[in-house]
Amino acid sequence: MHYLSMISAKSFFVFIAWFLFALALFFANIQDIWSSFVARRWTPAEFWQLPWMDSLSGSEFSSYAKKETYLYEVLEQRYYDKEKIDGTKMQENALKWFVEAIWDPHTEYLTKEENEVFDESMEGTQHFEGIGAVVSKKKDGIMISEVLKWSPAFTAWLQPLDIIVQIEGESTQELSLSEAVKKIRWPKGSVVHLGIFRQRAEWDEIEVFDIEVTRWTIDVPSVTMTTIPYSWWSAVHIEVSIFGEDTITKLQQALFQLTWSYTAVILDLRGNDWWYLPTAVELASYFLTKNEVVTTAKYTILPEETLRSEGYATFVWLPTVVLIDGMSASASEIVAGALQQRGKVSVIWTKSFGKWSIQTIQPIDDWSMLKYTIWKWYLPDDTTIDEVGLTPDFEVEFDRELFASGWVDTQIQKALEILSDPTQRVGDEPCCGNGTAY
């Protein structure tokens, strides 16, 4: 009995010792957790989840989201200049940088304001308040690819291939195209200060200067069409500035309104870097017979798709010259490439941009959107022009000095020369009086 009492007493003291040791560890952890609670100002609900919170999914994304939340809370509670804390702006920028980390200039997150500009532009014909310059994104800034006649940019002597390096003193190098457009536009009558980088025609003189441009109301038609008399015949000049939803409708309307006859076509895709694929296929259909291949689309997870001409064939038997430049990209290259490989179309000027990706849009909520690359396109012979561009049949440099002084378009002049000389043309269609279209 005495022996059993000794064992029981010994077990009791061992139990007490272990209990006190566990209690000490418990209070030590509680103190650490409480210190963390006080220092980081967690709410009671968050406090009970801190040491043992389960990962939402175990993914890097959920870890990133937690870090983002934590960083915002620290800044919101401890940052000295609290008036600089704008949660909405910080969140929008975080989403932008998240997408930009892919390093695809054609994939971007669009805010509400940028989405509104994008939706407006996709309608085709544009009506807005700005300076009247068609711009595209380049690594050094924002490139002016086209200056609309009699616009504020025109009267300020801005020229194609000028690079906007600053807008109101802010560098454009890190701005997306949507952000730059937002800063240049609105409101009518106000002045925007631009920093311009220009390299002259001789390519040995560089000019950097500041310029003030007064914004005004601008109308940009997706399609303009005029007849150009040359010698004793005429060519129809079809300038497609935008591949939008109304482009083909505008093309049909312009054709109906033409009053002069024509025996040749100049399709002008210079400065057009739009990517709206359905319009590209329809436009090519005016120059191709039915079922001719326009392009082949290759996706990541979907089957390969071949897109073919609808066979409108309005201009299929007319001598045609296509004008492209270094800013002709995406849909323009699809059209020009398909017509060039048909073997009966001359392509003029320097190599095109070399963009072989096509984007789609994914609405995120009621106001924001993701524009991202979904597939790569290939020419009818299954080749690609990625970062290479289309090789023109005739290289004719754009004379910027002549254009600025007298607005003489040397490339259109060359197109007319080619159309009038059968020895220069690609293909064997008759021209210049041997047939008439209306």
Side-chain angles (χ1 to χ4, degrees):
M1 184 70 179
H2 179 68
Y3 178 75
L4 292 176
S5 298
M6 289 179 61
I7 293 177
S8 298
K10 183 177 179 180
S11 299
F12 175 78
F13 285 116
V14 170
F15 171 79
I16 291 296
W18 277 108
F19 175 78
L20 292 175
F21 178 73
L23 194 62
L25 289 176
F26 174 79
F27 278 108
N29 288 334
I30 284 294
Q31 185 175 3
D32 290 339
I33 296 171
W34 179 253
S35 298
S36 176
F37 171 75
V38 173
R40 294 163 68 177
R41 301 187 181 182
W42 297 97
T43 64
E46 292 169 333
F47 165 74
W48 290 111
Q49 300 177 30
L50 273 175
W52 43 84
M53 177 186 285
D54 293 329
S55 173
L56 295 177
S57 64
S59 68
E60 294 182 4
F61 181 79
S62 63
S63 176
Y64 171 83
K66 293 176 188 176
K67 289 178 182 178
E68 183 182 7
T69 302
Y70 174 63
L71 289 174
Y72 176 74
E73 289 178 345
V74 170
L75 291 171
E76 184 184 39
Q77 296 168 13
R78 299 184 179 183
Y79 187 69
Y80 182 79
D81 296 319
K82 291 189 179 295
E83 63 276 7
K84 294 183 179 180
I85 303 296
D86 185 336
T88 301
K89 184 177 180 180
M90 293 169 68
Q91 187 179 49
E92 292 288 312
N93 286 336
L95 292 171
K96 276 187 167 295
W97 295 332
F98 182 81
V99 176
E100 288 173 5
I102 300 175
W103 293 103
D104 179 355
H106 311 296
T107 295
E108 59 179 327
Y109 168 80
L110 302 179
T111 63
K112 177 182 178 181
E113 294 78 11
E114 294 166 346
N115 193 10
E116 289 173 352
V117 172
F118 179 83
D119 286 342
E120 176 186 299
S121 66
M122 285 306 297
E123 293 174 359
T125 301
Q126 297 186 46
H127 177 84
F128 59 90
E129 294 175 359
I131 67 171
V134 180
V135 296
S136 299
K137 177 66 177 176
K138 300 289 279 187
K139 66 178 182 179
D140 296 326
I142 303 298
M143 172 80 79
I144 295 178
S145 54
E146 182 182 357
V147 177
L148 305 179
K149 289 185 178 180
W150 313 120
S151 68
F154 179 96
T155 57
W157 288 85
L158 290 174
Q159 301 177 21
L161 303 184
D162 282 347
I163 296 180
I164 303 174
V165 293
Q166 286 187 339
I167 304 174
E168 299 295 350
E170 180 183 356
S171 172
T172 60
Q173 191 168 5
E174 300 300 327
L175 292 179
S176 69
L177 181 60
S178 301
E179 291 170 328
V181 169
K182 180 182 175 183
K183 292 178 180 294
I184 294 175
R185 286 188 179 182
W186 302 297
K188 175 182 177 181
S190 62
V191 174
V192 60
H193 300 83
L194 305 176
I196 302 296
F197 173 92
R198 176 180 296 167
Q199 192 168 13
R200 294 192 176 275
E202 296 80 9
W203 301 104
D204 58 359
E205 182 181 351
I206 293 176
E207 187 178 0
V208 181
F209 58 93
D210 296 325
I211 192 170
E212 294 183 355
V213 186
T214 302
R215 301 177 177 98
W216 207 250
T217 302
I218 307 296
D219 290 296
V220 185
S222 58
V223 177
T224 56
M225 190 178 300
T226 57
T227 51
I228 305 175
Y230 188 80
S231 183
W232 48 275
W233 57 277
S234 296
V236 59
H237 176 221
I238 305 172
E239 184 176 3
V240 181
S241 300
I242 299 169
F243 281 96
E245 295 175 349
D246 76 338
T247 300
I248 299 302
T249 300
K250 296 298 182 183
L251 175 66
Q252 294 168 343
Q253 292 173 354
L255 281 171
F256 182 76
Q257 294 170 2
L258 277 180
T259 57
W260 286 67
S261 62
Y262 57 91
T263 55
V265 180
I266 300 174
L267 178 60
D268 195 341
L269 302 176
R270 292 175 297 179
N272 189 332
D273 63 350
W274 288 73
W275 51 271
Y276 195 56
L277 180 64
T279 298
V281 175
E282 280 204 85
L283 180 60
S285 298
Y286 279 83
F287 298 85
L288 301 173
T289 56
K290 191 171 181 61
N291 289 328
E292 287 191 84
V293 175
V294 177
T295 185
T296 299
K298 297 184 179 182
Y299 303 83
T300 301
I301 58 175
L302 298 175
E304 181 178 305
E305 182 180 8
T306 299
L307 304 175
R308 298 179 180 275
S309 165
E310 297 292 336
Y312 304 147
T314 303
F315 310 115
V316 71
W317 302 117
L318 292 178
T320 301
V321 170
V322 180
L323 303 182
I324 61 172
D325 62 16
M327 300 309 300
S328 301
S330 199
S332 291
E333 292 176 302
I334 288 176
V335 173
L339 301 190
Q340 186 183 43
Q341 291 202 349
R342 175 174 174 263
K344 297 184 179 181
V345 173
S346 302
V347 178
I348 288 183
W349 209 36
T350 55
K351 289 184 178 180
S352 58
F353 186 85
K355 176 179 178 284
W356 68 319
S357 61
I358 294 291
Q359 285 67 47
T360 189
I361 55 176
Q362 176 66 52
I364 298 175
D365 47 35
D366 292 338
W367 56 84
S368 59
M369 180 178 70
L370 176 66
K371 178 167 75 75
Y372 65 98
T373 299
I374 189 172
W375 60 276
K376 304 285 188 177
W377 65 270
Y378 291 77
L379 294 170
D381 66 356
D382 205 37
T383 58
T384 177
I385 60 168
D386 187 32
E387 298 183 1
V388 176
L390 291 170
T391 300
D393 301 303
F394 300 89
E395 291 198 29
V396 182
E397 289 292 342
F398 184 78
D399 192 330
R400 286 175 289 181
E401 295 296 331
L402 188 59
F403 181 75
S405 60
W407 295 91
V408 175
D409 195 321
T410 53
Q411 292 158 344
I412 288 183
Q413 293 299 315
K414 180 62 177 179
L416 293 170
E417 177 188 325
I418 292 170
L419 289 170
S420 65
D421 184 357
T423 63
Q424 294 191 62
R425 293 202 310 268
V426 175
D428 55 359
E429 294 93 339
C431 182
C432 315
N434 297 306
T436 302
Y438 294 92

